[in-house]
Amino acid sequence: MTRRPAPGLLLAAFGVAAAGDLVALLADSGPGHAVLKPLLMPLLAGYAAALGGPRLLIVALLFGWGGDTFLLFDAEPAFLAGMGSFAAGHVCYLVLFRRYGDIQRYAAYGGGAGSPRARGAGLVSAYALALAGTVTLLWPDLPADMRGPVAGYSLLLTAMAFGATTLGATAAAGGALFLLSDTLIATGVADWPQVPRPDFAIMITYIAAQFLLARAVLRTGADAEPRPVEVTSGSVPAPR
């Protein structure tokens, strides 16, 4: 019988690959980045699988791997394919958030001022304004054939980032970092001035985002799993 790899070993391998990829970017090593980047999400998916994580989380991470791989190619069709793969991953995350999330959690953000309903409404407004502002500012500078796909993807990405708040602070941070990472990519497509080492900034925020989202889903999913009922002598087990 084949034994599953130890989760700790897979997590360590993910950490090594992530560090190596970031070093490769800083060293301007294109071949190093091309080799290490496609290893990241399969290793993280393997870690999730070794812990018995939800299959949909593994699928979401593998869609991330597809997006990572497509974006290695400097061509518009590959960029659109990568965007589509990431979009499919966001749909998977949204289903997971609906399955394991608690919609009341987002009301905890924004400090202690006001009622939970008001704080929740404020968070919704903040994400909506971020979406509207980003798309409005980017729109004139995007290539005409990219405007529709970027706007549609931005809507789905923002929905995912907001939905992540229903799993708590760890997932919320992951969603916000994913939003930041992809916004940096979009500013590059729009040919805006870039932060220093934009490739490094994009990857470090993306790697952290996927890791935080995976950890939050794994933890919340484990907490949500029904525990087996202990049957003692004379007791009648509940029907399934």
Side-chain angles (χ1 to χ4, degrees):
M1 184 176 179
T2 305
R3 296 179 60 185
R4 287 184 179 180
L9 182 62
L10 288 165
L11 183 59
F14 169 74
V16 169
D21 186 51
L22 294 173
V23 169
L25 288 172
L26 290 175
D28 293 320
S29 174
H33 179 58
V35 169
L36 290 169
K37 184 183 180 184
L39 296 178
L40 296 172
M41 292 306 108
L43 287 170
L44 190 55
Y47 167 68
L51 288 177
R55 291 182 181 177
L56 203 55
L57 172 60
I58 297 165
V59 173
L61 293 171
L62 292 178
F63 274 126
W65 167 76
D68 291 343
T69 304
F70 281 121
L71 292 188
L72 287 172
F73 300 95
D74 188 17
E76 187 173 303
F79 182 85
L80 290 172
M83 189 188 300
S85 191
F86 282 123
H90 295 327
V91 172
C92 293
Y93 276 128
L94 283 168
V95 175
L96 287 166
F97 300 154
R98 183 175 178 81
R99 180 181 301 171
Y100 298 120
D102 179 357
I103 200 169
Q104 298 301 319
R105 280 197 185 102
Y106 70 71
Y109 296 92
S115 67
R117 184 183 294 274
R119 293 198 299 270
L123 188 65
V124 172
S125 299
Y127 276 94
L129 285 172
L131 170 65
T134 301
V135 172
T136 300
L137 291 171
L138 287 171
W139 188 269
D141 297 322
L142 290 170
D145 58 343
M146 294 293 292
R147 289 172 178 168
V150 169
Y153 178 80
S154 297
L155 176 61
L156 184 57
L157 171 64
T158 305
M160 185 281 294
F162 173 74
T165 65
T166 65
L167 261 66
T170 298
L177 285 171
F178 216 135
L179 191 61
L180 174 60
S181 179
D182 281 4
T183 299
L184 291 173
I185 293 176
T187 60
V189 175
D191 203 23
W192 281 15
Q194 297 293 288
V195 299
R197 304 312 303 251
D199 49 356
F200 180 85
I202 288 166
M203 279 306 298
I204 195 169
T205 50
Y206 167 71
I207 291 168
Q210 290 279 36
F211 175 73
L212 291 173
L213 288 170
R215 287 288 291 176
V217 171
L218 288 168
R219 184 177 63 245
T220 310
D223 291 343
E225 287 294 325
R227 297 182 179 180
V229 177
E230 184 177 341
V231 180
T232 58
S233 177
S235 65
V236 179
R240 295 191 179 198

